[in-house]
Amino acid sequence: MRVMKFGGSSLRNAAALREVGRIVDEARQSEPVAVVVSAFAGVTDGLLEAADSALEDYGHTQEVFGGLHSRHLTTIEELIPATTRSRIMADIQVLFNNLEDVLHGVHLVRECSPSTRDLIVSFGERLSARITARWLSSLNLNAEFVDSRPLILTSERQGMTIVNIDESFRRLRKGLKPDSCVPVVTGFIASDAAGITTTLGRNGSDYSATLLGAALGASCVELWTDVDGIFSSDPNLIPSAKVIDHMTFEEAQEMAYFGAQIVHPQALQPAAERGIPVAIRNTFNSTHPGTMIAPNGSLPEQPVRGITTINDVALVNVEGSGMIGLLGVAGRLFSALAAKAVNVIMISQASSEHSICFVTRSCELTSAVEAVKEEFATELESRLIQRVEEVDNLAALSIIGTRMRGTIGLSGRFFGALGAQGVNVVAISQGSSERNISIVVSEQDAAKALRSVHTAFGLDGAGASHAEA
Ligand code: ASP
Ligand code: MG
């Protein structure tokens, strides 16, 4: 069986849902299918806006609510024949009444806890899955709406929502019967042991899909979106960037960590663990094969598969002769950053131990420097640490590929290409997994650096998409 997940953009209007219907119908001819859906495009954001405004400006909440309501009704009217519309209209109305009650409750008590927010956003997927199921049924696909909340169990650990994998798999296997119908399952939402609605985090529907795929032993998990696949680099920056036809889980995860807006690394984990291929497909160009993420196997020769950049980053350099051989400096440094919720993107320390530098988003720079200065106040005063230097307006650039490991001369090519363009490298970091080398350059140099490296590794034009040839 196959899991097919459709993201919000694939469900943005009736025309998009018609494509979805065609795609599911075709897939169903060859094997059983389970469908997972996100909320319609923009609906999760709308629901959050409604929740936030309910605290102060209920008029605005009502406006947003009205927009969401009519949007769903219009989609139903455009999609489902009038003669068979009454039940879905009634179901949707119940949900909207319920949502209105919750929003009004928030307004009355002027309080919206994280659980209440989760409950409010859950309406997005509960609406879209119901409508999609009704639509697929009208195509004689024998679809059945499934609420994922009783099937995916989460718990709180150190302020994080985690999925209880074993119990969720048990419930999913028991609750879903893709052999006899097409389950249309709400992505993104789950519940805790007390039955309270929880969510798997923004864009969590991909994770729902791979959990389902892993639980049911799917042949493939398809993530349907509105782009052709994962590109060798951001096509907005590099027009010659091409869709990567096959890549490994590690490559996809590295690409996601380093800024490519594709699949959340966590979302790939259940599929990666069980070796279930994950395909990225375009709902609006469904004959395009997309990107297939699969375990290592037929790896292309090309060592570098993708290049990502993250803009608006800053670097902090902590330097001092007193740091040499001083135990616990790194531990204290990163604990202090974590305590201020600063996310570290890159770290580099030379073996002289004279300095440690790390890279964060520019918007976190002030907190980062504060954290360091507070933590090392004594060392700064006694001159064990001489400098906490900050450099803003930088960009991080990473080259990524499973075959980079052990490929000799790769760094030479990388830095050669940069040098030839006169790009100054501010910092370098390579993990010993050798699947990623990251550098930091000034923001002005970022586009030039990206272009020259993309070309140097043969990713332009036919290079990327026919890498296996
Ligand atoms: N609807 C949720 C969001 O927008 C989940 C998803 O789309 O995957 O974050
Ligand atoms: Mg989404």
Side-chain angles (χ1 to χ4, degrees):
M1 62 84 55
R2 189 186 314 178
V3 175
M4 307 176 82
K5 176 258 169 178
F6 294 92
S9 61
S10 299
L11 308 165
R12 59 182 169 226
N13 53 29
L17 274 145
R18 285 197 192 93
E19 286 303 310
V20 170
R22 212 181 38 71
I23 291 165
V24 174
D25 192 16
E26 200 184 306
R28 180 80 176 129
Q29 322 271 327
S30 48
E31 62 185 322
V33 161
V35 171
V36 176
V37 292
S38 295
F40 291 174
V43 168
T44 305
D45 289 330
L47 289 164
L48 288 171
E49 190 182 334
D52 290 339
S53 58
L55 293 169
E56 297 154 9
D57 179 2
Y58 198 63
H60 187 68
T61 307
Q62 284 171 313
E63 235 172 77
V64 176
F65 176 88
L68 292 171
H69 191 199
S70 62
R71 163 113 183 266
H72 285 86
L73 292 188
T74 311
T75 305
I76 296 172
E77 280 162 8
E78 286 175 17
L79 214 53
I80 316 258
T83 46
T84 55
R85 211 184 278 157
S86 59
R87 221 187 97 206
I88 182 71
M89 283 297 209
D91 287 350
I92 292 311
Q93 198 49 52
V94 170
L95 282 173
F96 272 104
N97 291 345
N98 205 324
L99 170 62
E100 195 172 22
D101 288 346
V102 180
L103 289 170
H104 195 231
V106 169
H107 177 63
L108 291 178
V109 299
R110 306 285 161 127
E111 188 185 87
C112 190
S113 68
S115 298
T116 306
R117 276 169 81 85
D118 281 348
L119 176 64
I120 291 171
V121 287
S122 77
F123 282 89
E125 274 70 12
R126 288 155 66 197
L127 287 160
S128 70
R130 271 197 182 72
I131 298 171
T132 307
R134 185 69 212 98
W135 161 234
L136 295 180
S137 292
S138 75
L139 302 175
N140 290 324
L141 276 165
N142 188 25
E144 245 172 54
F145 164 77
V146 178
D147 191 327
S148 58
R149 287 176 296 172
L151 304 182
I152 301 182
L153 175 72
T154 64
S155 51
E156 261 322 269
R157 265 298 152 87
Q158 294 162 339
M160 261 174 25
T161 302
I162 59 154
V163 172
N164 299 47
I165 300 278
D166 292 341
E167 177 58 21
S168 300
F169 280 11
R170 248 192 305 282
R171 294 181 184 189
L172 285 164
R173 283 191 203 111
K174 213 166 139 217
L176 296 175
K177 298 277 169 269
D179 287 323
S180 54
C181 71
V182 177
V184 180
V185 187
T186 53
F188 179 53
I189 59 176
S191 64
D192 66 12
I196 305 288
T197 299
T198 58
T199 63
L200 306 181
R202 289 311 304 265
N203 303 315
S205 299
D206 290 340
Y207 191 32
S208 314
T210 55
L211 286 169
L212 237 89
L216 303 179
S219 60
C220 179
V221 176
E222 294 177 344
L223 306 176
W224 289 83
T225 174
D226 62 351
V227 291
D228 284 341
I230 301 175
F231 283 79
S232 55
S233 195
D234 183 346
N236 296 314
L237 303 173
I238 303 285
S240 62
K242 282 279 170 342
V243 171
I244 305 173
D245 48 12
H246 285 82
M247 66 198 306
T248 64
F249 280 104
E250 291 94 0
E251 285 169 343
Q253 282 168 324
E254 291 277 355
M255 298 268 300
Y257 279 123
F258 285 90
Q261 302 267 319
I262 18 159
V263 211
H264 193 281
Q266 184 195 10
L268 289 174
Q269 201 50 41
E273 263 169 37
R274 284 159 195 81
I276 299 171
V278 174
I280 315 288
R281 302 289 304 272
N282 189 349
T283 300
F284 307 101
N285 187 16
S286 61
T287 52
H288 193 291
T291 296
M292 183 64 91
I293 306 169
N296 306 11
S298 56
L299 264 188
E301 287 298 325
Q302 217 170 18
V304 175
R305 310 300 313 289
I307 306 175
T308 62
T309 46
I310 310 177
N311 288 323
D312 301 318
V313 303
L315 179 143
V316 179
N317 192 29
V318 186
E319 205 177 300
S321 44
M323 281 167 63
I324 302 171
L326 193 65
L327 290 180
V329 174
R332 281 169 58 200
L333 174 61
F334 294 111
S335 303
L337 292 170
K340 285 224 191 289
V342 173
N343 185 31
V344 176
I345 299 173
M346 258 174 75
I347 307 169
S348 163
Q349 181 188 0
S351 68
S352 75
E353 303 178 40
H354 180 243
S355 68
I356 301 182
C357 89
F358 62 89
V359 176
T360 67
R361 301 247 175 220
S362 293
C363 58
E364 294 179 336
L365 178 60
T366 312
S367 317
V369 171
E370 256 173 42
V372 177
K373 288 191 171 157
E374 275 168 29
E375 176 64 35
F376 294 105
T378 319
E379 285 83 354
L380 280 162
E381 209 179 310
S382 62
R383 312 295 294 152
L384 281 171
I385 289 176
Q386 281 111 33
R387 280 206 306 168
V388 179
E389 182 192 23
E390 49 188 282
V391 191
D392 202 356
N393 303 316
L394 300 172
L397 181 153
S398 308
I399 58 172
I400 288 154
T402 298
R403 281 244 168 129
M404 281 168 54
R405 185 179 194 124
T407 302
I408 293 173
L410 201 96
S411 319
R413 252 159 97 191
F414 187 24
F415 294 106
L418 295 165
Q421 292 297 319
V423 173
N424 179 41
V425 177
V426 179
I428 307 172
S429 160
Q430 179 193 283
S432 62
S433 80
E434 299 183 38
R435 287 189 294 258
N436 174 326
I437 304 179
S438 300
I439 57 159
V440 175
V441 298
S442 89
E443 214 153 66
Q444 291 143 351
D445 281 345
K448 188 163 67 170
L450 182 57
R451 270 195 305 274
S452 65
V453 175
H454 199 264
T455 307
F457 286 107
L459 298 177
D460 288 332
S465 60
H466 303 299
E468 274 162 310

